[in-house]
Amino acid sequence: MARVVVDVMLKPEILDPQGQAVQRALPRLGFEGISDVRQGKRFELEVDGPVDEAALARIHDLAESFLANTVIEDFTVKVEEGAEVAGAAK
Amino acid sequence: MTARIGVVTFPGSLDDRDTQRAIRIAGAEPVALWHKDKDLKQVDAVVLCGGFSYGDYLRAGAIARFSPVMEPLIDQARAGLPVLGICNGFQILTEAHLLPGAMLGNDHLHFICRDQKLRVENAETSWTTDYSAGQEIHIPLKNMDGRYVADDYTLDQLEAEGRVAFRYVDFNPNGSLRDIAGITNEAGNVVGLMPHPEHAVESLIGTGRTDGLPFFTSILKKLVTA
């Protein structure tokens, strides 16, 4: 079993009021020097069986047609190696 | 003979009964459609109503867009079936790419509920012929994700082709680009808007005016004279 991570972000030209609200709160919390925050979504997909090229292609289609709305969002697909042991190793 | 107009209920739909009532008041026959229906029961038109279909999880309208009922609806809308999307229905239509652009959270991040002034920019769609171009109307608006966005090319194209059907007047309630409240497809059979005409069909409630009723009388006239 492996984990595939799909990150979805609003395109750079799309206004992100949520990110702006987070950014504006930072000075109040004592965090200085952060000029911009943009908020996105992360999907963790636990895949049965091998994550081969065909599986990745299917996940790419899924991300493009469903997880992201490509009118307003960009996405990336990444395989997370050894996801199931990452927690224990630390 | 009167027209049969379907109203789809998704899990989380809120305004299906009000929409059915508006259709009845206009003189047409409402037909309840369920999100799992695989056919449209031979209706003459469909309204996708407001609410929070599937909790609006992922994005507003994104999961509803893949319900079984949407398959025949998308096919038939492309072939000319009149479809009106109100609020969540508008969001579903953009997610289904029957209308261009996308809907995002209001720029002020708050839910909004108010009487909204609109200008009817296109009185030639299947759903707007009982208005006149330039007419100003008052219709309730209530939503979380009402910010219409599209790239400049798409916006310019919509403007050039007269496909901005409704524009907010005096106050832009959600940060929609170019004050766009509603749009139509090229053929004029698919129309979507954020404000709720079905809540403005009786003088007793809503804005106290019946400015929303012409949506439903427009489509009725079109269907019975077709």
Side-chain angles (χ1 to χ4, degrees), chain B residues 29-137:
Chain B
E29 181 193 340
V31 177
L33 297 174
W34 181 236
H35 68 116
K36 285 186 175 165
D37 287 346
K38 290 194 172 88
D39 73 273
L40 300 180
K41 299 185 183 171
Q42 294 175 308
V43 293
D44 304 303
V46 173
V47 181
L48 297 177
C49 66
F52 296 86
S53 56
Y54 297 88
D56 274 353
Y57 300 137
L58 188 59
R59 293 177 305 277
I63 299 178
R65 173 253 174 280
F66 288 99
S67 345
V69 74
M70 289 301 291
E71 260 183 61
L73 188 143
I74 290 169
D75 285 348
Q76 292 182 39
R78 289 205 174 110
L81 179 79
V83 177
L84 174 66
I86 302 168
C87 193
N88 199 219
F90 184 19
Q91 293 158 345
I92 294 168
L93 291 175
T94 60
E95 282 286 340
H97 304 301
L98 285 171
L99 291 173
M103 311 300 305
L104 280 166
N106 298 337
D107 59 351
H108 45 74
L109 299 173
H110 296 284
F111 188 89
I112 191 164
C113 182
R114 70 190 303 269
D115 289 348
Q116 178 67 45
K117 195 165 154 189
L118 303 177
R119 187 169 55 245
V120 181
E121 302 277 18
N122 182 335
E124 290 168 19
T125 77
S126 299
W127 300 90
T128 57
T129 49
D130 271 355
Y131 293 107
S132 49
Q135 187 178 344
E136 293 190 343
I137 59 175

Side-chain angles (χ1 to χ4, degrees), chain A residues 8 10 13-18 20-21 24 41 43 65-73, chain B residues 58-59 62-63 65-66 94-95 97 100-109 147 149-150:
Chain A
V8 177
L10 282 174
E13 66 271 24
I14 304 281
L15 177 73
D16 175 17
Q18 291 189 105
Q20 288 179 341
R24 281 196 300 269
K41 291 180 196 142
F43 300 88
S65 61
F66 185 50
L67 298 181
N69 178 348
T70 54
V71 174
I72 45 171
E73 294 167 327
Chain B
L58 188 59
R59 293 177 305 277
I63 299 178
R65 173 253 174 280
F66 288 99
T94 60
E95 282 286 340
H97 304 301
M103 311 300 305
L104 280 166
N106 298 337
D107 59 351
H108 45 74
L109 299 173
R147 176 166 49 117
V149 299

Side-chain angles (χ1 to χ4, degrees), chain A residues 33-64:
Chain A
I34 294 173
S35 58
D36 191 28
V37 175
R38 293 183 68 80
Q39 183 175 322
K41 291 180 196 142
R42 172 186 165 103
F43 300 88
E44 298 182 343
L45 284 60
E46 307 299 337
V47 181
D48 297 332
V51 181
D52 50 18
E53 239 170 77
L56 274 178
R58 285 185 57 225
I59 290 170
H60 189 275
D61 288 348
L62 168 74
E64 189 167 34

